[in-house]
Amino acid sequence: MLGSIVNGIILGSIITLGGLGISYILLIQNYFNFTGGTFFTLGAYLAFAFLSIIPMGSFPVVSFGPGLILALILSMIVLAIIMTAVDKFLYQPLRKRNSPFMFFYLTAFGMLFVLRSLIYLIWGPQLKNYISGVRKTYHLAGGINISPDEIFVVLATLIIVGIVYYFQYYTKLGKAMLATANDSRLAEISGIKNKHVHTTVTIIAGVLTATAGVFYGLAIQLRPIMGFTLLMAMFFAVVCGGDGAILGTLGAGLIIGITQEFGSEILQVIFDSTGIPIEMSGYKQVLAFLLLIVILTTKPHGIFQGTFLER
């Protein structure tokens, strides 16, 4: 049971970064970016492509080397450019015309299928890994099995969340983003260039999304539908953590990660003991959806409203 909680923390860390990418778009541009999951997948596969020409190298303890870090950085840059181009050519004209938000959602759905088809076309449906071979794993008490790579993912996520939090609340640009989110017209009058803010937000979202995708590929594996299967969980982290709430998104991401892993294991034990032939590993997303419904009906403004995690 403790092992499933640890697995939930690892998954929750990845969900947090993906959720922050979606949260930034929601905070400034006021719509849920349904392509967030597909960009998540694209970022992971871009790093995989770069590793085909970059030597992996090695670090002590973990299974990867400086090659993966370089591939991650290049993936961040390329995905940020792609997302910025999509925003400029598709969403910016909609904002200028004050189009209904339904147009944004329809455009996002269209991009989702286009990008998903491109991923299948370029890399195929096969599962892939950044590192081949058996990885080192620590076997601890309570059924906990954790690899150094997974420990790296959790620690790196906490560091990234801390950096993003400082940026948003203690830098001039971060405060300008918050001002634009609160009142874009007043921010424009105050001298803040909303167009530049939108571009900055999209770049940050691209960096966070690419990082989340690479971390998923490192901790688990590369799958063409991996972002799509985590999309509901990322939406949960955004909605239940609160709009633009960085610490709230972290808290909600960990909650949904643990719920999916620990909850599915508990239900599997119940189903096995009662003879019900259900494999819960294929229904983890259902738990995310059910928990989201419960939160929306009881705490629609976020589960951390009024606490320090509201920021």
Side-chain angles (χ1 to χ4, degrees):
M1 293 299 179
L2 289 178
S4 61
I5 294 177
V6 171
N7 291 337
I9 293 173
I10 297 166
L11 180 63
S13 300
I14 298 168
I15 291 171
T16 295
L17 293 179
L20 284 174
I22 294 175
S23 180
Y24 264 104
I25 299 296
L26 175 64
L27 178 67
I28 304 298
Q29 302 178 8
N30 297 314
Y31 74 96
F32 276 105
N33 186 6
F34 289 103
T35 54
T38 311
F39 281 128
F40 172 100
T41 305
L42 181 59
Y45 275 92
L46 285 172
F48 180 81
F50 286 124
L51 279 174
S52 65
I53 57 175
I54 299 174
M56 174 63 80
S58 63
F59 283 134
V61 183
V62 294
S63 64
F64 61 90
L68 182 62
I69 303 300
L70 179 56
L72 169 59
I73 294 171
L74 293 174
S75 175
M76 290 177 181
I77 295 171
V78 174
L79 189 63
I81 292 172
I82 292 173
M83 290 181 64
T84 302
V86 169
D87 179 69
K88 180 178 180 180
F89 293 108
L90 295 181
Y91 298 117
Q92 193 176 101
L94 295 178
R95 288 195 296 269
K96 288 182 177 178
R97 295 195 296 266
N98 292 320
S99 300
F101 284 111
M102 181 58 67
F103 287 20
F104 287 85
Y105 293 131
L106 291 174
T107 303
F109 268 118
M111 279 303 303
L112 185 154
F113 290 111
V114 169
L115 292 172
R116 189 173 171 183
S117 298
L118 286 174
I119 290 170
Y120 272 100
L121 181 65
I122 297 172
W123 289 285
Q126 299 84 6
L127 305 182
K128 302 181 185 300
N129 294 284
Y130 290 132
I131 298 99
S132 58
V134 180
R135 304 185 190 186
K136 181 178 181 181
T137 303
Y138 300 123
H139 303 284
L140 307 177
I144 299 174
N145 299 313
I146 188 170
S147 69
D149 294 352
E150 292 168 335
I151 295 173
F152 168 81
V153 166
V154 174
L155 294 179
T157 296
L158 294 176
I159 293 172
I160 292 170
V161 168
I163 293 172
V164 173
Y165 182 86
Y166 178 84
F167 168 79
Q168 181 163 309
Y169 291 103
Y170 295 99
T171 67
K172 184 177 180 180
L173 183 55
K175 292 177 181 178
M177 290 165 52
L178 292 175
T180 302
N182 290 330
D183 192 326
S184 59
R185 290 185 179 180
L186 183 59
E188 189 80 34
I189 294 172
S190 303
I192 297 173
K193 301 296 184 182
N194 289 341
K195 185 177 179 180
H196 295 164
V197 169
H198 281 284
T199 300
T200 302
V201 165
T202 305
I203 292 172
I204 294 173
V207 168
L208 292 171
T209 303
T211 305
V214 172
F215 281 3
Y216 185 97
L218 178 63
I220 305 174
Q221 61 184 175
L222 298 174
R223 306 168 183 172
I225 61 169
M226 64 188 199
F228 184 78
T229 58
L230 280 185
L231 189 59
M232 181 58 67
M234 290 189 283
F235 279 165
F236 174 92
V238 175
V239 173
C240 300
D243 294 352
I246 296 171
L247 298 182
T249 302
L250 172 63
L254 294 176
I255 288 173
I256 191 57
I258 293 172
T259 298
Q260 286 193 179
E261 295 296 323
F262 183 72
S264 62
E265 184 170 335
I266 293 294
L267 290 175
Q268 189 65 64
V269 171
I270 295 173
F271 290 145
D272 290 344
S273 63
T274 55
I276 300 176
I278 294 179
E279 181 59 49
M280 276 305 299
S281 61
Y283 294 93
K284 293 179 181 180
Q285 295 78 27
V286 176
L287 295 178
F289 177 75
L290 293 176
L291 188 57
L292 178 62
I293 295 299
V294 171
I295 297 301
L296 286 176
T297 55
T298 57
K299 301 280 288 185
H301 298 292
I303 55 180
F304 301 113
Q305 188 178 28
T307 71
F308 75 96
L309 291 175
E310 190 177 20
R311 300 183 67 184

